[in-house]
Amino acid sequence: MWVPFTGSACLLLVASMCSGLSSRSQELRYPPERIAVIGAGIGGTSAAYFLRQKFGKDVLIDVFERGTVGGRLATVNLKGEDYEAEGTSIHPLNLHMKHFVKELGIPGPKRQGGLMGIFNGDEFVFEESSWYIWNFIKLLWHYGLNPLRMHMWIEEILDKFMRIYQYQAHDYAFSSIESLLHALGGVELLQMLNQTIDESMQKSGFSQKFINEVVAGVMREDFGQGTSINGFVGTLSLAGDDPGLWSVEGGNKRVCSGLLQTSKAQQISGTVISIEEKTRQNGRSGGIVKLYEVTYDSTSGLEREAYDIIMIATPLNHKSANITFLNFNPPIPEFSKPYQETVATFVHGQINASFFGYQHPSYFNLKHIVTVENSKLFINSMVTLYPVKIRKDALNPQIWKIFSPQPLTKEQMDLLFISYDATRVKTWLAYPHYSPPEKCPPLILHSRMYYQNSIECLASGMEMSAVSAQNAALLAYHRWYVNTDMIDQEDLHERLKTEL
Ligand SMILES: Cc1cc2nc3c(=O)[nH]c(=O)nc-3n(C[C@H](O)[C@H](O)[C@H](O)COP(=O)(O)OP(=O)(O)OC[C@H]3O[C@@H](n4cnc5c(N)ncnc54)[C@H](O)[C@@H]3O)c2cc1C
Ligand SMILES: *[C@@H]1O[C@H](CO)[C@@H](O)[C@H](O)[C@H]1NC(C)=O
Ligand SMILES: *[C@@H]1O[C@H](CO)[C@@H](O)[C@H](O)[C@H]1NC(C)=O
Ligand SMILES: *[C@@H]1O[C@H](CO)[C@@H](O)[C@H](O)[C@H]1NC(C)=O
């Protein structure tokens, strides 16, 4: 169905050619009429939310989704209960996620935890203990002051990262990932994209044993890759091991459907196939308007819609979005950065403690296993899960979630478990395969077309997608109304300090 486009005579024309506009730069143009968001994961749905906030109630916002709302946030059902299918954890300092949950009125976030061990393929090189003091002594014994120093190192980088919330609260936007990172922490932060977390931490004097065991364990669980990932994503990932992690009651994906509803965006079910820039004569004024024509495959066949602004909120590569950009000059480049495949296996069963080097299986009480790099290991991590809806009155079945680079074979399952009676498997194209020096794709793909998932080169995560969504909404707004003084400003940190 082709929806003819009307209005917007002054769309790309200077104010003097249109009548009845004031001279304030804010009002040089008519507001956009239609905005498309491609993807209804946390990135796309939070973009709809921020776009509505910025562009007001009249703009039409369409969100295209070929699968289910939530994208990489999903649940799986096992033995009658739903479980978080991807990562579960949201950091207490993830302020956008926190705000969404509060604004949507989703009941109190739930926390979970359990003792953790680092497995090297034969035995545990470190095991947490439930007794706090004993745990502290063990950590000191194994890793000296490394854990304490790591805490300070993370704090320093998180402090810089947190500046983004202040910038965004003041409406500032950035036109590239590099300029965003530079505004947060200068060359020092930018350099973290050029180094592996291993190099970064070695330079800061952390011991190789600590890096190979603790740091590698966390990286392998969070990103299915070892300590060769870039220093920035590595540090955020380490921060993710802080106490106080939470996830959303009922499933993290609830935030996405909530945002979609609150934003009064229209969801369109279908697969976007191509985007093409079109120039059209405007019926009323005879002026020329430039629009993006989105072609998508829906249950009723190929359809087309035209938009003023496009937000792409999915990784753009052939294996995932597979969108063709037609007739752009210069052409939109291909983004070939590979994404890492991670298999999540959900198992209701009894763990085989002797596989993990236990002489006395009855002593085994770990709920969370991470691994070091070892070619004979076929899992990255495993953790016990609780249903997304915790019922106080019922005995919740204990489910293990295993992350592995390949699907587990029957033989491997028989090694990990003494017995099991139910499994589910979900294969994810989960996150970028990081290999510093990291070169980020552009945020601005074309004059009014934005690529939110460019931010994944920095770090992939729910909060990162939300940060990028707000940035893209602000960027689209300021570029539409030519507020150049709100984009890529230097020394914001110092300036906002004196403004307050
Ligand atoms: C195994 C795993 C563990 C993780 N652990 C954590 C964690 O602990 N903490 C954390 O913060 N993050 C974690 N993440 C990362 C987090 O899930 C993602 O960073 C985040 O969900 C990405 O959201 P997004 O909206 O940017 O992209 P997506 O969720 O991928 O959304 C993109 C959407 O676009 C749709 N789409 C794609 N192409 C088209 C098309 N052509 N037409 C129409 N629709 C299209 C897709 O169907 C999808 O729904 C994990 C991810 C995985 C896979
Ligand atoms: C990172 O590396 C790229 C090339 O690999 C280089 O162009 C850039 O200047 C480097 N950035 C920093 C901050 O060192
Ligand atoms: C990508 O899209 C093209 C045409 O739109 C199609 O022929 C091709 O099979 C698709 N590739 C994948 C990996 O989905
Ligand atoms: C458990 O692990 C041990 C040691 O790897 C292995 O020999 C055994 O076959 C596994 N399975 C069971 C059911 O004990």
Side-chain angles (χ1 to χ4, degrees):
M1 172 191 59
W2 169 252
V3 177
F5 199 85
T6 55
S8 287
C10 298
L11 195 60
L12 293 169
L13 304 176
V14 283
S16 60
M17 298 171 74
C18 308
S19 55
L21 292 182
S22 89
S23 59
R24 281 191 55 225
S25 74
Q26 282 271 337
E27 287 151 66
L28 277 180
R29 294 172 173 197
Y30 280 137
E33 295 192 358
R34 297 164 57 95
I35 304 178
V37 178
I38 300 170
I42 187 66
T45 54
S46 55
Y49 172 86
F50 290 122
L51 286 165
R52 177 67 70 209
Q53 223 173 42
K54 236 18 244 173
F55 285 92
K57 65 175 178 21
D58 293 330
V59 68
L60 183 134
I61 302 173
D62 281 348
V63 178
F64 289 88
E65 175 54 58
R66 67 170 175 203
T68 45
V69 173
R72 274 174 278 170
L73 304 180
T75 53
V76 296
N77 191 281
L78 196 64
K79 291 189 101 55
E81 297 281 356
D82 287 332
Y83 297 87
E84 207 70 65
E86 72 300 326
T88 44
S89 29
I90 303 171
H91 192 274
L93 294 178
N94 285 174
L95 300 190
H96 282 319
M97 289 301 289
K98 230 170 156 168
H99 168 78
F100 293 155
V101 170
K102 196 165 159 217
E103 167 131 358
L104 298 172
I106 296 175
K110 67 191 178 62
R111 295 180 182 196
Q112 38 189 250
L115 298 181
M116 189 268 290
I118 305 172
F119 183 56
N120 73 359
D122 297 310
E123 57 179 1
F124 287 100
V125 290
F126 182 78
E127 276 180 64
E128 267 183 335
S129 145
S130 49
W131 192 29
Y132 182 79
I133 301 292
W134 179 228
N135 210 33
F136 188 71
I137 294 169
K138 265 168 80 171
L139 266 176
L140 268 179
W141 174 256
H142 276 270
Y143 302 116
L145 292 177
N146 280 279
L148 221 64
R149 293 199 33 225
M150 179 178 83
H151 206 75
M152 282 150 52
W153 142 292
I154 293 170
E155 199 111 303
E156 201 182 308
I157 289 158
L158 270 189
D159 267 354
K160 289 182 181 155
F161 176 72
M162 299 289 287
R163 291 175 183 169
I164 190 62
Y165 299 112
Q166 193 192 13
Y167 300 169
Q168 294 192 327
H170 283 83
D171 249 22
Y172 288 101
F174 301 93
S175 66
S176 71
I177 296 303
E178 283 81 2
S179 107
L180 186 156
L181 203 54
H182 191 267
L184 295 178
V187 181
E188 209 183 309
L189 270 201
L190 265 174
Q191 261 161 359
M192 296 189 81
L193 279 190
N194 278 4
Q195 293 178 345
T196 64
I197 183 78
D198 190 17
E199 286 162 350
S200 298
M201 293 187 84
Q202 272 189 42
K203 272 191 195 141
S204 301
F206 287 92
S207 80
Q208 199 64 59
K209 177 182 159 73
F210 182 72
I211 296 172
N212 290 350
E213 294 180 4
V214 175
V215 179
V218 176
M219 304 299 115
R220 286 168 58 81
E221 171 166 48
D222 286 357
F223 291 103
Q225 303 158 67
T227 54
S228 59
I229 72 179
N230 79 63
F232 190 83
V233 64
T235 306
L236 286 197
S237 166
L238 289 171
D241 257 21
D242 275 1
L245 293 183
W246 54 284
S247 51
V248 176
E249 168 82 30
N252 291 335
K253 68 176 181 184
R254 274 183 79 184
V255 175
C256 301
S257 40
L259 288 171
L260 206 52
Q261 213 170 17
T262 302
S263 67
K264 300 203 163 58
Q266 171 176 243
Q267 189 194 333
I268 299 186
S269 296
T271 303
V272 173
I273 290 170
S274 65
I275 300 173
E276 180 172 6
E277 194 187 31
K278 293 260 163 126
T279 306
R280 252 172 239 296
Q281 193 115 41
N282 184 272
R284 266 197 319 222
S285 67
I288 297 291
V289 292
K290 287 187 165 180
L291 300 168
Y292 295 108
E293 188 179 280
V294 171
T295 302
Y296 64 102
D297 200 355
S298 73
T299 44
S300 42
L302 283 192
E303 306 208 35
R304 294 191 169 81
E305 298 280 349
Y307 297 93
D308 299 299
I309 295 173
I310 303 250
M311 299 289 189
I312 295 175
T314 166
L316 270 183
N317 63 41
H318 269 302
K319 270 188 158 174
S320 32
N322 196 19
I323 295 169
T324 309
F325 296 96
L326 291 169
N327 303 328
F328 283 94
N329 189 17
I332 310 290
E334 287 229 352
F335 302 107
S336 50
K337 191 168 184 57
Y339 270 59
Q340 181 99 6
E341 202 167 277
T342 291
V343 181
T345 307
F346 303 82
V347 183
H348 179 251
Q350 197 189 349
I351 196 164
N352 179 9
S354 54
F355 176 76
F356 292 96
Y358 265 67
Q359 313 282 350
H360 304 286
S362 54
Y363 292 163
F364 185 92
N365 63 350
L366 299 178
K367 301 257 186 259
H368 184 181
I369 299 168
V370 298
T371 59
V372 305
E373 226 135 333
N374 175 346
S375 54
K376 80 171 188 191
L377 269 168
F378 51 85
I379 62 166
N380 295 335
S381 64
M382 55 194 285
V383 64
T384 49
L385 287 184
Y386 298 90
V388 295
K389 288 197 189 88
I390 291 187
R391 282 186 246 289
K392 287 195 185 67
D393 52 333
L395 202 61
N396 291 304
Q398 216 182 53
I399 300 290
W400 286 93
K401 175 176 70 181
I402 306 159
F403 284 149
S404 59
Q406 262 100 42
L408 297 174
T409 62
K410 164 112 182 28
E411 290 72 32
Q412 292 168 338
M413 287 290 288
D414 287 342
L415 280 174
L416 292 175
F417 294 96
I418 288 175
S419 63
Y420 56 94
D421 64 0
T423 57
R424 289 276 180 287
V425 180
K426 177 131 182 103
T427 302
W428 293 104
L429 257 188
Y431 18 63
H433 180 81
Y434 292 105
S435 54
E438 221 74 74
K439 184 152 176 15
C440 296
L443 278 178
I444 303 172
L445 290 183
H446 192 253
S447 90
R448 289 152 288 116
M449 182 161 70
Y450 302 90
Y451 181 29
Q452 296 176 206
N453 288 64
S454 167
I455 205 163
E456 287 191 78
C457 70
L458 257 194
S460 175
M462 303 172 226
E463 184 70 10
M464 298 305 286
S465 287
V467 163
S468 191
Q470 185 168 17
N471 182 63
L474 289 169
L475 188 60
Y477 181 85
H478 294 317
R479 280 167 56 86
W480 184 274
Y481 292 109
V482 205
N483 302 326
T484 42
D485 57 336
M486 296 306 288
I487 302 171
D488 292 338
Q489 294 299 296
E490 291 287 329
D491 304 319
L492 271 184
H493 183 60
E494 290 307 313
R495 273 165 52 191
L496 291 177
K497 236 188 233 165
T498 52
E499 260 178 44
L500 289 175

